[in-house]
């Protein structure tokens, strides 16, 4: 029998788990702040700018605009490990990788996002595979989503929305309104029954944003099934459970906001809390783990309520980058301001740029002279064209 040889741990100043928006920009900012050695754990060979996925699904962008090679973005001085984290030993500050590598560092930042959990929705994978259902939330499905939207000219189209956990929850309304505008321009919207199935009683926790959504819904004649949960999908039929009991909806197009779950290693490593649904139990103000001061988390992997958007990440990254040296020197920690943003295209020419505090659900404004809650072409231009360029050349480079 061959003898197993244990690998010596590889040491780094900071370990970042996840090379998406939050992880990549965090690694870049740490280097710019003088962090001498950063390890980045990311198994994917491609980096995806996810906000553009809804525009590809709505026919307003190309797939090649949102993908870059992961290695082309890794900052100088950052060691990329193309593997997945399997366990974190918080006491030892060790991260065990799927390939057997063991890393140890001064601080560990968890920025790996949430995972889609299609198995929790019976029939979803088969419906996606057979073309009955579609989604703009996974790269492999975005082009087919647009194909199905533009091919539909009669029948019933169902779009789903649900509460947390959800990555970019509000953006599930983008394909709904882009599709409705497309169908109206083609003159077929009147021949379609468009249904939004939502598991909450309110369209959005912020009253002002909910009012903007309601205006667009009423304009397109979308039927809303509130407080209604999708239980399963069988062929072309959804089973739903709502205030009036169970019902079945036969559909010709189904757009799904995926169910999400926390990465398994978080709970297995003892980093979740009793009320966090398996997500990292951090102080939502400092993003520091409640029990392990050397562990931090941001983005979809952290238990931060509604702050699961790309816009929120930029503020969270700045908080963690500032707080790691503050912790080490014993200074008071910086507090994350709760900022998040809900960019919702209400048509193919206008967008509501709904900024708000994810904890108080109070409207926030980063550009005081412009009302972010009124649908305007300049908000669409910002979200569709300006922000992607800012992302590739600024945010993930640690410059913005």
């Amino acid at each position: 029998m061959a003898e197993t040889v244990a690998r010596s741990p590889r040491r780094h100043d900071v370990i970042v788990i996840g090379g998406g928006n939050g992880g990549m920009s965090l690694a870049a900012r740490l280097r710019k702040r003088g962090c001498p050695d950063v390890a980045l754990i990311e198994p994917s060979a491609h980096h995806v700018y996810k906000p553009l996925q809804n525009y590809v699904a709505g026919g307003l962008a190309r797939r090649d605009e949102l993908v870059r090679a992961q290695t082309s973005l890794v900052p100088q001085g950052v060691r990329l490990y193309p593997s997945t984290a399997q366990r974190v030993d918080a006491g030892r500050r060790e991260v065990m990788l799927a390939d057997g590598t063991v890393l140890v560092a001064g601080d560990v930042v968890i920025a790996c996002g949430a995972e889609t959990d299609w198995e929790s929705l019976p029939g979803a994978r088969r419906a996606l595979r057979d073309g009955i259902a579609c989604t703009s939330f996974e790269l492999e499905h975005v082009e087919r989503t647009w194909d199905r939207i533009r091919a539909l000219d009669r029948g019933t189209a169902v779009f789903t929305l649900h509460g947390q956990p959800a990555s970019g929850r509000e953006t599930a309304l983008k394909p709904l309104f882009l599709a409705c505008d497309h169908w109206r321009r083609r003159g077929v919207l009147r021949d379609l029954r468009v249904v939004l199935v939502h598991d909450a009683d309110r369209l959005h926790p912020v009253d002002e944003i909910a009012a903007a959504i309601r205006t667009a819904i009423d304009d397109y004649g979308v039927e809303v099934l509130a407080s209604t949960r999708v239980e399963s999908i069988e062929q072309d039929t959804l089973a739903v459970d709502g205030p009036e009991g169970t019902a079945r909806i036969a559909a010709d197009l189904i757009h799904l906001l995926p169910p999400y779950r926390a990465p398994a290693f978080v709970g297995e490593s003892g980093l979740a809390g009793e009320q966090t649904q398996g997500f990292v139990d951090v102080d939502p103000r400092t993003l520091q783990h409640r029990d392990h001061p050397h562990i931090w988390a941001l983005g979809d992997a952290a238990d931060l309520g509604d702050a699961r958007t790309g816009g929120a990440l930029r503020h969270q990254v700045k908080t963690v980058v500032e707080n790691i040296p503050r912790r080490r020197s014993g200074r008071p920690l910086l507090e994350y301001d709760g900022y998040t943003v809900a960019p919702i295209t209400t048509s193919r020419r206008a967008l509501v740029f709904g900024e708000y505090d994810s904890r108080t659900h109070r409207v926030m404004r980063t550009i005081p002279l412009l009302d972010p809650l009124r649908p305007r072409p300049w908000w669409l231009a910002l979200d569709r064209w300006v922000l992607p360029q800012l992302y590739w050349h600024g945010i993930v480079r640690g410059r913005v």
Side-chain angles (χ1 to χ4, degrees), residues 274-356:
E274 292 184 2
Q275 306 298 324
T276 68
Q277 297 180 278
F279 293 92
V280 185
D281 188 15
V282 296
D283 183 327
R285 297 166 302 172
T286 64
L287 308 184
Q288 183 182 46
H289 195 278
R290 295 184 188 275
D291 298 323
H292 305 288
H294 302 86
I295 306 294
W296 313 81
L298 50 81
D300 294 357
D303 180 43
L304 295 174
D306 282 329
R308 288 190 167 105
T309 69
L313 275 174
R314 191 165 61 88
H315 290 235
Q316 293 167 24
V317 165
K318 290 180 179 180
T319 302
V320 173
V321 168
E322 178 67 25
N323 281 346
I324 287 177
R326 285 187 176 218
R327 180 201 63 76
R328 293 179 178 182
S329 63
R331 291 176 291 156
L333 299 183
L334 183 71
E335 293 194 1
Y336 164 53
D337 62 6
Y339 176 90
T340 191
V341 60
I344 303 168
T345 49
T346 55
S347 74
R348 304 176 79 78
R349 292 184 177 178
L351 179 139
V352 170
F353 199 69
E355 300 170 296
Y356 65 99

Side-chain angles (χ1 to χ4, degrees), residues 167-230:
S167 182
R169 174 194 60 193
E170 297 93 342
T171 59
L173 295 167
K174 279 185 174 180
L176 166 63
F177 294 141
L178 288 175
C180 284
D181 191 28
H182 170 74
W183 291 327
R184 173 179 283 174
R185 289 167 185 267
R186 287 185 55 212
V188 300
L189 182 60
R190 61 180 176 272
D191 299 320
L192 288 163
R193 178 194 179 198
V194 183
V195 181
L196 174 63
V197 179
H198 184 22
D199 68 356
D201 59 348
R202 302 178 64 190
L203 289 169
H204 197 276
V206 179
D207 290 340
E208 295 90 337
I209 297 176
I213 295 170
R214 171 55 68 181
T215 297
I217 280 177
D218 292 344
D219 180 51
Y220 291 119
V222 176
E223 176 184 345
V224 178
L225 300 182
S227 302
T228 301
R229 177 182 175 85
V230 178

Side-chain angles (χ1 to χ4, degrees), residues 127-141:
L128 288 165
R129 184 191 65 216
D130 294 343
I132 299 165
C134 58
T135 182
S136 56
F137 284 81
E138 290 189 339
L139 184 62
E140 62 185 290
H141 296 292

